[in-house]
């Protein structure tokens, strides 16, 4: 079978290139260009019209330099207007590292030249850190040192270093040193009150900082842009009731006695009972506020307010005033005082010294500071109902200010401890009457006697007399609260009994001041310490006032942990009272009344 030869492949026709229509191509290109240009145009409109103000503001902000104008902090003044704390001229040393770099200056040379003037004390600055600050050209404002003295700044300025400037920043100093340091408190490194009055009145004292703003380029002011200044508002000064002279004398007296008795610490409170004004609040745990780095944490507080203790026998005036006010006793009430008082439940009340059966008046019980006699008479508040008797005693102690803040308004104050009467255990039902099982601070205890001295009216303790604005205008502080705790007649009876304590027959003979009538009470209480897990040592106290028949000053002396055989309030604290009160009477120009003390019987 003959095969057919294959057919030759037919050539495929070549495809023809067809070009677009020129007009269409041109039109599409134009549209594309128009779209692109519209995007650019819209962006330009956005930049130049819509967002122009924002970008201009951002550019201005980027080249705006702000300099703080520091307000002058208000002073803290004593009662005579003399400063206890005040602001003095000082200068912050400022560097502009960008200018230093542009001027092709060597930061190491700058650091070497300034190192002798910086640091506290001058010359103690870390030179490597100073060099690093000067070399950081990413910054245009670096504080090299805060609040150097004008004399130091004058020396630095004389070096003529480009990019180094000074900015006024007043510094708080304490011209009277340790006088009332614990009351005044401190200002910290950022200019805020950190303790005492500096903390309590910080917002008033600090004022409001201002600032200067100007336009700058490469670290230099642009002259034509002008300067915007917001003035600083200086702080208001606080005038206190502290009498610096009495405060100093109290400080010296308590320091000397604490050292002599090897005590842990001590406090002295001086008050005007008529106004509640605190004239002195001294503690041996004090410091020099001009050198706070050398102080311990205990010294930086205020032990006269924060430390609480069982008052012991100085609390007996509250119990006896309650009895007299309730009409169940009077200064001449006759009491048979046994050697001990067995209360049942295994608790026995003792006096500080052993004795046989004694026949004492209520006045004698206070003069000899008998715990047993105090308990026996306090039971008369309600002989048939111990719970009601406890409630009456609690109410009077609360009215005297125990168990709550004194009202002074300083930070760190403890309210003490006054447990509700319903929660008193068996022993407390007897010990509270003579000042154990209850705790107070030094100011609270002094305020109790100020109430008796002020005819039974408790005036809330206060330490601020008023405020002095930057314009010099004085605004008095609000008047303190006045509360009638016991009647004037009751207060007079108790006051006459307290004079017996300071007589030759009482426990407070070392508190006598020649020519003056003095009323007061000794206290020797067991001291509770968590460090020994119980009672260790004693709290020795004496609180009194003069002249007893026209009281103008009250002084409370408290010594914690006196060592040795002499640790009682009569032997340890009464001599400090005598010294401080004698000085204060003279300093205040208070003359003796010239009247005779009453001669109340001790025994019957």
């Amino acid at each position: 079978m003959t095969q057919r030869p294959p057919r030759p492949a037919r050539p495929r026709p070549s495809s023809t290139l067809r070009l677009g229509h020129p007009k269409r191509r041109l039109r599409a290109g134009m549209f594309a260009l128009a779209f692109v240009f519209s995007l650019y145009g819209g962006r330009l409109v956005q930049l130049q019209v819509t967002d122009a103000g924002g970008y201009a503001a951002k550019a201005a902000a980027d080249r705006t330099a702000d300099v703080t104008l520091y307000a002058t902090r208000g002073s803290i003044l004593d009662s005579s207007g003399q400063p206890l704390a005040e602001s003095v001229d000082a200068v912050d040393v400022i560097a502009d590292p960008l200018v230093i770099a542009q001027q092709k200056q060597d930061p190491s040379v700058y650091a070497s030249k300034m190192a002798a003037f910086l640091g506290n004390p001058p010359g103690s600055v870390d030179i490597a850190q100073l060099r690093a600050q000067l070399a950081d050209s990413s910054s245009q404002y670096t504080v090299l040192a805060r609040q150097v003295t004008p004399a130091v700044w004058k020396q630095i300025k004389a070096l003529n270093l480009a990019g180094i400037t000074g900015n006024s920043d007043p510094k708080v100093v304490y011209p009277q040193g340790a006088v009332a340091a614990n009351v005044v408190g401190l200002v910290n490194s950022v200019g805020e009150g950190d303790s005492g009055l500096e903390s309590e009145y910080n917002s008033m004292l600090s004022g409001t900082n201002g600032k200067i703003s100007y336009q700058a380029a490469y670290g230099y002011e642009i002259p034509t842009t002008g300067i915007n200044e917001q003035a600083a508002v200086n702080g208001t000064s606080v005038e206190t009731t502290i009498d610096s002279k009495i405060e100093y004398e109290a400080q010296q007296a308590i320091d000397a006695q604490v050292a002599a008795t090897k005590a842990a610490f001590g406090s002295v409170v001086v008050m005007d009972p008529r106004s509640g004004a605190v004239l002195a609040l001294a503690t041996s745990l004090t410091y020099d506020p001009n050198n706070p780095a050398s102080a311990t944490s205990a010294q930086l507080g205020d032990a006269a307010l924060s430390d609480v203790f069982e008052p012991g026998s100085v609390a007996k005036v509250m119990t006896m005033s309650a009895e007299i006010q309730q009409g169940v006793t009077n200064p001449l009430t006759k009491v048979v005082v046994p050697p001990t008082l067995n209360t049942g439940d295994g608790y026995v009340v003792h006096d500080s010294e052993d004795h046989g059966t004694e026949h004492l008046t209520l006045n004698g019980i206070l003069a000899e500071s008998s715990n047993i006699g105090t308990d026996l008479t306090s039971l008369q508040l309600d002989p048939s109902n111990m719970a009601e008797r406890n409630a009456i005693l609690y109410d009077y102690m609360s009215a005297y200010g125990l168990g709550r803040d004194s009202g002074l308004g300083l930070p760190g104050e403890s309210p003490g401890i006054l447990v509700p009467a319903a929660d008193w255990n068996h022993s407390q039902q007897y010990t509270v009457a003579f000042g154990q099982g209850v705790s107070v601070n030094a100011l609270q205890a002094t305020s109790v006697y100020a109430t008796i001295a002020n005819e039974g009216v408790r005036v809330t303790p206060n330490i601020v007399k008023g405020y002095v604005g930057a314009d010099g205008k004085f605004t008095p502080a609000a008047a303190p609260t006045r509360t009638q705790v016991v009647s004037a007649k009751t207060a007079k009876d108790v006051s006459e009994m307290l004079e017996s304590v300071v007589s030759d027959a009482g426990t407070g003979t070392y508190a006598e001041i020649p020519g003056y009538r003095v009323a007061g009470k000794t206290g020797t209480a067991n001291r509770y310490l968590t460090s020994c897990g119980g009672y260790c040592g004693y709290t020795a106290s004496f609180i009194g006032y003069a002249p007893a028949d026209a009281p103008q000053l009250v002084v409370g002396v408290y010594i914690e942990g006196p060592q040795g055989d002499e640790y009682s309030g009569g032997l340890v604290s009464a001599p400090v009272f005598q010294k401080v009160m004698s000085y204060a009477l003279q300093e205040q120009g208070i003359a003796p009344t010239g009247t005779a003390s009453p001669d109340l019987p001790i025994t019957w």
Side-chain angles (χ1 to χ4, degrees):
M1 183 174 172
T2 305
Q3 295 182 341
R4 293 182 181 178
R7 294 180 182 178
R10 295 180 182 178
R12 298 179 66 178
S14 59
S15 59
T16 303
L17 178 63
R18 296 183 180 182
L19 298 176
H21 195 283
K23 290 184 178 181
R24 289 180 183 170
R25 189 168 66 251
L26 183 61
R27 188 178 297 115
M30 292 296 291
F31 276 122
L33 287 173
F35 177 73
V36 172
F37 282 127
S38 69
L39 292 178
Y40 280 107
R43 182 60 175 157
L44 287 172
V45 170
Q46 182 184 18
L47 291 173
Q48 296 184 1
V49 179
T50 307
D51 293 343
Y55 280 98
K58 185 178 184 305
D62 289 342
R63 64 174 183 267
T64 297
D66 292 329
V67 176
T68 301
L69 297 177
Y70 290 99
T72 298
R73 189 176 179 86
S75 299
I76 296 177
L77 310 170
D78 69 9
S79 59
S80 67
Q82 295 302 306
L84 295 165
E86 65 177 340
S87 291
V88 297
D89 290 340
V91 180
D92 290 347
V93 181
I94 312 298
D96 186 335
L98 182 60
V99 169
I100 294 171
Q102 289 171 345
Q103 295 290 323
K104 302 187 185 305
Q105 299 297 314
D106 187 346
S108 296
V109 174
Y110 270 44
S112 297
K113 289 183 176 181
M114 288 191 291
F117 307 111
L118 301 180
N120 186 21
S124 63
V125 69
D126 184 336
I127 195 166
Q129 181 180 349
L130 179 61
R131 186 185 305 113
Q133 289 178 287
L134 293 163
D136 183 13
S137 58
S138 64
S139 172
Q140 289 186 253
Y141 188 90
T142 299
V143 179
L144 302 180
R146 279 179 51 84
Q147 297 178 325
V148 303
T149 66
V152 168
W153 167 240
K154 184 177 180 180
Q155 292 174 301
I156 295 173
K157 188 177 180 181
L159 297 173
N160 292 318
L161 301 176
I164 302 299
T165 57
N167 182 33
S168 176
D169 184 4
K171 178 182 180 180
V172 177
V173 297
Y174 304 89
Q176 299 193 51
V179 174
N182 305 82
V183 173
V184 173
L186 284 172
V187 172
N188 61 25
S189 60
V190 295
E192 296 177 345
D194 209 31
S195 59
L197 291 166
E198 293 279 24
S199 173
E200 186 68 20
Y201 291 92
N202 182 66
S203 59
M204 178 181 293
L205 290 162
S206 59
T208 305
N209 291 337
K211 69 177 180 179
I212 291 178
S213 300
Y214 61 89
Q215 301 293 303
Y218 304 106
Y220 295 96
E221 180 186 344
I222 302 173
T224 58
T225 57
I227 296 176
N228 181 28
E229 179 176 346
Q230 179 183 341
V233 178
N234 292 334
T236 296
S237 295
V238 175
E239 186 168 329
T240 71
T241 60
I242 293 293
D243 184 311
S244 293
K245 295 178 181 178
I246 296 177
E247 176 79 27
Y248 177 81
E249 185 69 20
Q251 188 71 61
Q252 297 303 303
I254 195 64
D255 285 347
Q257 191 70 326
V258 165
T261 60
K262 296 181 174 58
F265 62 92
S267 300
V268 176
V269 182
V270 183
M271 291 182 65
D272 181 336
R274 301 161 299 178
S275 64
V278 175
L279 278 62
L281 195 64
T283 174
S284 62
L285 293 174
T286 191
Y287 62 99
D288 181 357
N290 294 303
N291 185 24
S294 64
T296 66
S297 58
Q299 290 172 319
L300 292 172
D302 194 340
L305 299 177
S306 61
D307 183 75
V308 295
F309 52 89
E310 293 189 350
S313 294
V314 293
K316 290 171 181 172
V317 296
M318 292 183 285
T319 301
M320 293 188 181
S321 68
E323 297 170 22
I324 295 172
Q325 184 68 28
Q326 293 296 114
V328 298
T329 62
N330 64 65
L332 302 181
T333 296
K334 299 175 181 179
V335 184
V336 177
V337 180
T340 60
L341 177 62
N342 191 335
T343 68
D345 202 27
Y347 184 72
V348 180
V349 178
H350 298 269
D351 282 335
S352 59
E353 296 182 5
D354 293 337
H355 60 78
T357 299
E358 295 182 317
H359 295 74
L360 301 176
T361 61
L362 184 69
N363 178 64
I365 290 171
L366 187 63
E368 295 189 2
S369 201
S370 170
N371 298 336
I372 298 169
T374 302
D375 268 337
L376 289 173
T377 56
S378 71
L379 294 174
Q380 299 306 307
L381 288 168
D382 196 321
S384 62
N385 189 329
M386 179 63 89
E388 181 60 26
R389 171 266 191 185
N390 295 343
I392 294 172
L393 194 56
Y394 172 90
D395 287 344
Y396 274 95
M397 289 187 167
S398 178
Y400 274 111
L402 273 62
R404 53 192 169 94
D405 288 342
S406 66
L408 198 65
L410 285 179
E413 180 180 353
S414 171
I417 302 171
L418 179 62
V419 178
D423 297 329
W424 291 357
N425 59 33
H426 178 79
S427 62
Q428 279 181 301
Q429 295 182 57
Y430 294 89
T431 61
V432 168
F434 54 80
Q436 293 183 12
V438 58
S439 294
V440 297
N441 64 42
L443 180 64
Q444 286 175 320
T446 308
S447 178
V448 170
Y449 282 71
T451 300
I452 297 295
N454 192 42
E455 298 184 331
V457 177
R458 182 181 188 271
V459 183
T460 302
N462 56 89
I463 204 165
V464 174
K465 183 188 295 186
Y467 315 97
V468 183
D471 58 357
K473 182 181 178 181
F474 177 80
T475 302
T481 303
R482 304 173 69 87
T483 306
Q484 189 84 46
V485 179
V486 294
S487 69
K489 174 62 168 62
T490 295
K492 183 176 183 295
D493 286 346
V494 173
S495 186
E496 290 182 349
M497 291 164 61
L498 288 171
E499 287 194 70
S500 295
V501 175
V502 189
S503 71
D504 292 339
T507 59
T509 55
Y510 284 106
E512 290 181 305
I513 300 173
Y516 289 86
R517 289 175 59 175
V518 177
K521 183 71 185 75
T522 57
T524 309
N526 292 321
R527 183 182 182 219
Y528 184 88
L529 286 177
T530 54
S531 60
C532 73
Y535 289 97
C536 310
Y538 300 91
T539 298
S541 58
F542 186 92
I543 318 173
Y545 48 88
D549 55 332
Q552 297 185 53
L553 293 172
V554 179
V555 175
V557 179
Y558 312 88
I559 298 179
E560 295 287 348
Q563 303 297 304
D565 295 332
E566 296 185 354
Y567 53 79
S568 69
L571 295 174
V572 173
S573 299
V576 179
F577 166 90
Q578 198 273 349
K579 185 174 184 179
V580 175
M581 179 62 87
S582 295
Y583 176 84
L585 289 168
Q586 298 302 313
E587 196 271 339
Q588 294 279 301
I590 301 171
T593 58
T595 60
S597 297
D599 187 17
L600 298 178
I602 302 294
T603 61
W604 56 279

